């Protein structure tokens, strides 16, 4: 709602009330994150070891510690609608070093799960789903790779669905079971028309 | 304490224990034992039940009116009452009056844990005119209302059960008389860091002969390795050395350095402690005189040191300075006496020649064992640093310029290996940026580090920051922290002062450290959590404020004294709040860091507390032992002797009596554990206060349920 009539939207945004109120937090969110991630997500003491270990952090606005804070406080909307949620590379460096023995990577994964339930997901992730569905690979082989493989004495295609395409059916069955493909197609269509 | 002794030595020992004071008591007990085990007509039991509300602690979780009504229906109950706080003066008066008015023979208080108030209610029972051992406690708080807070019905039922069971025992309780044993007017203190030294000085000042046993070659402990001490910044040596000299000079303190505890037997008042004097290879002047070597013995001249061909790292200097195989830790040691490190000595004999007529060195020296008798003991075995190289991300022992806090202390100390010049181990250069990694290995739940706060690293890191600002112009300390815990007196003010002096504080736990292979400088990676930005700061040197852990030999030593430890190895106090210096072994006390991390002020306070507590039984002259010992019903004993070897406290022996072999108990040694009583195939052992008929009655009461 515009309170600063006639001013640009950016200023309007700057002047927003950013205080944290009790009803911003949803205790169920903390519980759900914990249950899905199977790690003590509520025990973070904000030391910063995770962000300090994160290869994504120095190159992006992604801050794993911030997501941990949101997990502790149950800030569901803030966590699930932040596009940074999708910048974790799942390298597990933070999980190696967290002194509270939390696995922050899995906390991110659980939040992605919860976000997907609300159709919040970047299109490129959905395209990965489609790629796996059609080829069995998130990143299918290509000619550059094939040449490189040949050069070091490997077969042009790896011994996966690339070499044995008859197994793609099995993968499709799994994805269909979870309606992953159908949902991906639906959302991509909604977004890209 | 559980070391077995041959049964033959028992007889004499037993006789020694049977002082005049004890004999009549024993006979009395025997009589009762027979009475309860057999036929005699005992007066009909009249038990009083007193139910405590404990404010709302108990009353809030169960229906006490129902409990009280039920108690009135339990067999042998002659009187029931309740009160808001049974342990208070008015509460105790209720018990006192009821005993008189109702001619009670036993008392049951349904309240908290006996650990808390058994002594209180025993006293109340005694003041009411009954023998204090006719009291039994039903725990309806810790074991009931607190754990079943949300189950009103269940906790009410459970309280009824507890009372019924307690009454069953109370109806069969007998008069018992604690035994007084004399206390040896001497004490032993194990570990001569600042805690052990302070405790020994206090004990000796109170007129008590004190044996001070230190495993290292000299006294002083960790504090003697420190340069300055927070928050006042006085020089550690200047405040410690006078104490060390006092310890060496005090005639009532007998110092055993390079020694350890080998064995402990006995109980409060009468511990027999065997001290192992490890072969030192060097004798004192007094020892020389005793051997008839006139003017001989080690005078600390150090003539032996120069010719010794073996070079080893000096542990006192954290390995940063060399020493010989014959060595002293540093020039101010007490006692000023050389020691041979047998692991590195090649027995070339050059030192013997150099020592000459003083004849102080004996390359064939052997360990010696000295037995001392003491009334009480204090453990003050201190701490060591957690091996921080286990946290591989910080590169200790991998990167030359990453050091720990104690290494920093030696490097900044004027008497240290560099004469007080802080330099980078890699190139001897003076650092301009020094990083301090706080909570290194502390507050760590990964299973690699320690879950607790090590308590003094925040403060000594502040001190270190001050020291480099003071000594190296233009050098900036960076403290990487999660919280600065400056909780002590004048500590927060110290924090203010160091920040004002220019130290930089970065709130972020260090994720990892990388070394620049060319410059050997270090990249400290973390998150500035307050800026919400990952950071990479290049430091010339990094100091890890490593976690601390109990010193290596603590576990073996504590077991000899029968002292428990907590999960992380720190010695366990009797009560964390109300009895922090005591242990659950009567007569054994704790001082200093061995009980948990403490800075020097807290260490000294705890040492003075332990010394005071340890001197109480000695000044009283005698201690009362709980009369829970086993007794042998001679007529039933077949003399098989199987119990003798079962007893963990070596309290039993076979003796001849009226032409028969029967078992006899040394009451002062018996802890009433019941091992023998449960085992005896003939049922010949009567465990006072936990006698078979009493326990069977409790089990029956439980199994039979409410409606009998
Ligand atoms: C780097 C650093 C800096 C510090 N700076 C400060 C400061 O500035 N101010 C401050 O207040 N505190 C400081 N401290 C804390 C201080 O060191 C301790 O509070 C103090 O040393 C505790 O004394 P203690 O006697 O309990 O233990 P210790 O000093 O560890 O003494 C224990 C003694 O017992 C001996 N021993 C161990 N086991 C046995 C055994 N089984 N038998 C016989 N003897 C045994 C040891 O050899 C040792 O002599 C610092 C600590 C560190 C690590
Ligand atoms: S490392 Fe662990 S405790 Fe520290 S901020 Fe990250 S998740 Fe929280
Ligand atoms: S004293 Fe400070 S640095 Fe040491 S563990 Fe505790 S909080 Fe961490």
């Amino acid at each position: 709602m515009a309170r600063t009539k006639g001013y640009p939207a950016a200023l309007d945004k700057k002047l927003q009330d950013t205080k944290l109120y009790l009803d911003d937090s949803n205790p169920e969110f903390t519980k759900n994150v914990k249950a899905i991630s199977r790690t003590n997500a509520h025990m973070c003491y904000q030391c910063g070891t995770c962000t300090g270990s994160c290869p994504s952090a120095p190159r992006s606005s992604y801050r794993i510690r911030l997501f941990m804070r949101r997990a502790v406080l149950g800030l569901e909307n803030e966590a699930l609608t932040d596009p940074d949620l999708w910048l974790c590379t799942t390298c597990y460096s933070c999980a190696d070093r967290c002194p509270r023995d939390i696995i922050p990577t899995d906390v991110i994964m659980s939040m992605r799960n919860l976000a997907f339930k609300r159709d919040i997901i970047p299109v490129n992730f959905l395209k990965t789903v489609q790629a796996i569905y059609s080829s069995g690979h998130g990143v299918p082989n290509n000619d550059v790779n094939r040449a490189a493989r040949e050069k070091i004495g490997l077969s042009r295609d790896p011994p996966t669905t690339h070499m044995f395409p008859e197994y793609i059916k099995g993968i499709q069955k799994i994805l269909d079971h979870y309606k992953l493909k159908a949902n991906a197609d639906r959302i991509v269509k909604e977004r890209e028309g | 304490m559980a070391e077995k002794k041959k049964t033959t030595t028992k007889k004499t020992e037993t006789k020694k224990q049977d002082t005049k004071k004890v004999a009549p008591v024993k006979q009395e007990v025997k009589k009762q034992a027979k009475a309860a085990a057999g036929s005699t007509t005992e007066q009909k039991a009249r038990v009083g039940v007193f139910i405590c509300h404990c404010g709302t602690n108990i009353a809030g979780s169960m229906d006490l009116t129902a409990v009280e009504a039920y108690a009135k229906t339990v067999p042998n109950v002659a009187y029931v009452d309740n009160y808001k706080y049974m342990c208070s003066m008015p509460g105790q008066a209720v018990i006192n009056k009821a005993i008189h008015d109702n001619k009670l023979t036993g008392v049951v208080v349904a309240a908290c844990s006996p650990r808390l108030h058994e002594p209180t209610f025993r006293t109340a029972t005694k003041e009411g005119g009954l023998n204090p051992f006719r009291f039994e406690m039903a725990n309806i708080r810790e074991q009931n209302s607190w754990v079943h807070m949300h189950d009103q019905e269940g906790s009410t039922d459970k309280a009824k059960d507890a009372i019924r069971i307690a009454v069953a025992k109370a109806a069969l309780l007998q008069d018992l008389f604690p035994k007084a044993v004399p206390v040896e007017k001497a004490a032993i203190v194990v570990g001569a860091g600042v805690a052990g030294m302070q405790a020994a000085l206090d004990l000796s000042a109170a007129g008590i002969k004190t044996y001070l046993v230190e495993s290292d070659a000299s006294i002083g402990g960790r504090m003697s390795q420190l340069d300055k001490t927070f928050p006042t910044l006085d020089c550690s040596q200047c405040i410690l050395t006078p104490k060390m000299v006092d310890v060496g000079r005090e005639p009532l303190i007998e110092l055993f350095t390079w020694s350890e505890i080998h064995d402990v037997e006995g109980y409060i008042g009468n511990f027999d402690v065997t001290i192992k004097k490890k072969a030192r290879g060097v004798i004192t002047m007094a020892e020389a005189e005793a051997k008839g070597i006139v003017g001989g013995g080690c005078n600390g001249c150090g003539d032996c040191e120069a010719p010794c061909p073996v070079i080893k790292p000096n542990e006192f200097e954290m390995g940063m300075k060399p020493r010989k195989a014959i060595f002293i830790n540093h020039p101010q040691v007490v006692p000023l006496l050389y020691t041979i490190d047998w692991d590195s000595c090649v027995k070339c004999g050059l030192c013997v020649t150099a020592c000459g007529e003083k004849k102080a060195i004996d390359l064939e020296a052997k360990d010696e064992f000295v037995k001392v008798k003491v009334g009480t003991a204090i453990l003050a075995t201190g701490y060591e640093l957690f091996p921080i190289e286990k946290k591989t991300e910080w590169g200790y022992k991998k990167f030359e310029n990453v050091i720990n806090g104690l290494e920093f202390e030696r490097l900044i100390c004027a008497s240290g290996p560099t004469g007080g010049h802080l330099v980078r181990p890699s190139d001897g250069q003076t650092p301009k940026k020094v990083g301090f990694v706080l909570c290194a290995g502390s507050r760590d739940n990964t299973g690699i580090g320690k879950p607790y706060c090590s308590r003094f690293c925040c403060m000594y890191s502040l001190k270190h920051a001050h020291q480099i600002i003071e000594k190296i112009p233009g050098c900036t300390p960076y403290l990487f922290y999660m919280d600065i815990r400056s909780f002590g007196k004048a500590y927060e003010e110290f924090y203010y002062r160091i920040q004002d002096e220019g130290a930089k504080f970065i709130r972020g736990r260090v994720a990892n450290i990388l070394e620049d292979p060319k410059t050997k400088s270090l990249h400290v990676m973390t998150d500035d959590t307050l800026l919400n930005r990952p950071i990479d700061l290049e430091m010339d040197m990094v100091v890890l404020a490593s976690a601390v852990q109990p010193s290596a030999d603590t576990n073996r030593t504590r077991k000899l004294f029968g002292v428990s430890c907590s999960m992380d190895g720190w010695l366990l106090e009797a009560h964390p709040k109300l009895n922090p210096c005591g242990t659950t072994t009567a007569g054994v006390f704790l001082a200093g860091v061995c009980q948990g991390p403490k800075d020097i002020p807290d260490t000294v306070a705890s040492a003075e507390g332990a010394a005071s507590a340890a001197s109480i039984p000695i000044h009283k002259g005698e201690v009362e032992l709980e009369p829970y010992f086993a007794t042998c019903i001679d007529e039933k004993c077949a003399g098989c002797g199987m119990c003798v070897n079962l007893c963990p406290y070596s309290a039993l022996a076979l003796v001849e009596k009226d032409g028969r072999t029967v078992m006899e108990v040394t009451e002062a040694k018996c802890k009433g554990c019941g091992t023998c009583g449960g085992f005896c195939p003939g049922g010949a052992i009567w465990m006072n206060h936990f006698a078979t008929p009493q326990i069977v009655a409790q089990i029956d009461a439980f199994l039979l349920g409410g409606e009998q």
Side-chain angles (χ1 to χ4, degrees), chain B residues 438-440 442-443 452-459 482-485 487 545:
Chain B
L438 274 62
C439 299
S442 301
R443 307 172 68 193
Y452 46 81
C453 165
S454 293
R455 267 178 119 244
F456 41 68
C457 12
C458 276
M459 289 306 295
M482 289 198 263
D483 310 280
I484 293 291
R485 298 189 167 172
F487 50 84

Side-chain angles (χ1 to χ4, degrees), chain B residues 491-615:
Chain B
Y491 287 12
E492 186 63 23
E493 294 88 329
F494 190 67
Y495 178 17
Y496 184 97
R497 170 175 170 188
I498 307 310
Q499 185 170 7
D500 193 33
E501 285 175 353
K504 294 285 169 245
F505 291 84
I506 293 172
R507 197 202 166 278
R509 182 177 172 279
V510 173
N512 64 320
I513 294 174
L514 298 175
E515 185 189 58
D516 180 331
K518 275 207 209 90
T519 61
K520 303 280 177 191
S521 290
L522 303 155
H523 290 262
V524 178
M525 317 291 231
T526 178
D527 174 12
D528 187 321
T529 58
L530 304 178
L531 282 180
N532 194 20
R533 262 168 80 178
I535 57 177
D536 169 350
L537 297 188
E538 191 176 336
M539 296 284 137
D540 298 329
M541 200 172 176
V542 168
V543 185
L544 304 178
S546 331
V548 294
Q549 63 185 24
S551 56
D553 200 27
T554 301
N555 202 37
R556 186 192 66 89
T557 310
R558 68 141 185 110
K559 281 185 188 163
L560 291 173
F561 283 94
V563 170
S564 316
C565 66
S566 55
M567 235 160 53
D568 27 47
W570 301 111
L571 301 187
L572 199 64
E573 62 288 330
H575 190 286
K577 284 160 265 179
L578 302 179
N579 194 355
C581 298
T583 68
T584 47
T585 302
V588 182
F589 303 89
L590 306 175
V593 177
C594 66
Q595 182 258 350
K598 282 175 200 65
D599 50 27
I600 297 166
D602 285 1
T603 294
V604 172
S606 119
E608 300 214 279
S612 151
S615 67

Side-chain angles (χ1 to χ4, degrees), chain A residues 23-170:
Chain A
D23 51 14
D24 290 333
S25 77
N26 172 14
E28 286 307 308
F29 180 61
T30 309
K31 284 188 200 150
N32 290 341
V33 165
K34 215 189 138 188
I36 299 170
S37 65
R38 301 195 197 188
T39 186
N40 279 332
H42 65 300
M43 287 306 296
C44 171
Y45 60 7
Q46 292 289 298
C47 67
T49 305
C50 46
T51 297
S53 301
C54 179
S56 182
R59 293 165 186 84
S60 72
S61 53
Y62 169 55
R63 299 287 181 267
I64 169 67
R65 182 175 56 82
L66 191 58
F67 283 96
M68 296 306 296
R69 187 77 188 133
R70 291 160 172 165
V72 169
L73 291 178
L75 303 182
E76 182 171 14
N77 282 332
E78 201 176 310
L80 302 189
T81 57
D82 183 345
D84 288 355
L85 178 60
W86 305 89
L87 294 178
C88 168
T89 65
T90 65
C91 71
Y92 283 92
S93 298
C94 54
D96 267 0
R97 296 193 185 131
C98 169
R100 279 270 160 109
D101 216 17
I102 304 167
I103 307 179
T105 318
D106 290 352
V107 170
I108 290 295
M109 291 303 118
S110 70
M111 289 181 179
R112 286 183 183 177
N113 266 304
L114 292 168
F116 186 50
K117 282 189 183 163
R118 288 166 49 173
D119 285 0
I120 305 174
I121 183 169
V123 164
N124 57 325
F125 277 72
L126 298 172
K127 298 221 158 140
T128 305
V129 172
Q130 291 171 332
I132 295 173
Y133 195 86
S134 56
S135 71
H137 278 259
V139 184
N141 212 1
N142 55 33
D143 284 340
V144 179
N145 259 333
R146 288 195 187 98
R149 288 178 62 89
E150 218 164 21
K151 212 170 166 185
I152 56 171
L154 294 170
S155 57
R156 280 174 66 80
D157 277 316
T160 61
T161 43
H162 278 329
M163 219 185 252
F164 307 102
E166 61 271 32
Y167 287 101
I168 291 179
K169 265 200 215 96

Side-chain angles (χ1 to χ4, degrees), chain B residues 194-195 214-215 222 229-230 381 383 463 557 593 598-600:
Chain B
V194 62
E214 167 59 52
S215 56
R222 293 287 169 209
T229 51
F230 63 76
T381 51
Y383 71 97
K463 171 185 77 179
T557 310
V593 177
K598 282 175 200 65
D599 50 27
I600 297 166

Side-chain angles (χ1 to χ4, degrees), chain B residues 83-218:
Chain B
Y83 191 70
K84 213 167 182 56
Y85 298 102
M86 216 72 221
C87 56
S88 65
M89 279 302 273
Q92 294 190 46
V94 169
I95 300 175
N96 188 328
K97 185 167 180 303
I99 294 174
H100 286 291
D101 293 355
N102 301 283
K103 302 205 166 40
L104 299 181
T105 64
V107 170
V108 167
V109 175
C112 51
S113 157
R115 286 268 315 243
L116 194 65
H117 275 319
E118 188 175 68
T120 316
F121 295 123
R122 275 199 179 149
T123 308
T125 306
K126 192 173 168 187
E127 283 179 350
L130 278 180
N131 180 286
F133 294 90
R134 288 184 171 265
F135 162 75
E136 178 70 14
M137 197 142 189
N139 181 342
I140 59 167
R141 193 180 75 171
E142 283 84 343
Q143 293 173 357
N144 191 341
S145 67
W146 279 358
V147 280
H148 306 300
M149 207 172 282
H150 307 295
D151 180 4
Q152 172 103 4
E153 200 179 317
S155 59
T156 306
D157 285 347
K158 191 171 173 182
K160 291 177 183 173
D161 285 347
I163 290 172
R164 184 174 71 250
I165 294 167
V167 169
K169 181 166 182 188
L172 295 179
L173 284 174
Q174 302 168 323
D175 291 355
L176 292 176
F177 301 90
K179 221 158 77 76
V181 292
V183 176
E184 188 71 29
K185 204 179 170 181
I188 193 164
V189 178
V190 187
V194 62
M197 284 166 39
Q198 185 65 49
L201 285 170
D202 283 10
L203 286 167
S204 62
I208 296 165
K209 164 87 185 179
T210 306
Y211 303 98
L212 180 55
V213 181
E214 167 59 52
S215 56
D216 200 0
S218 52

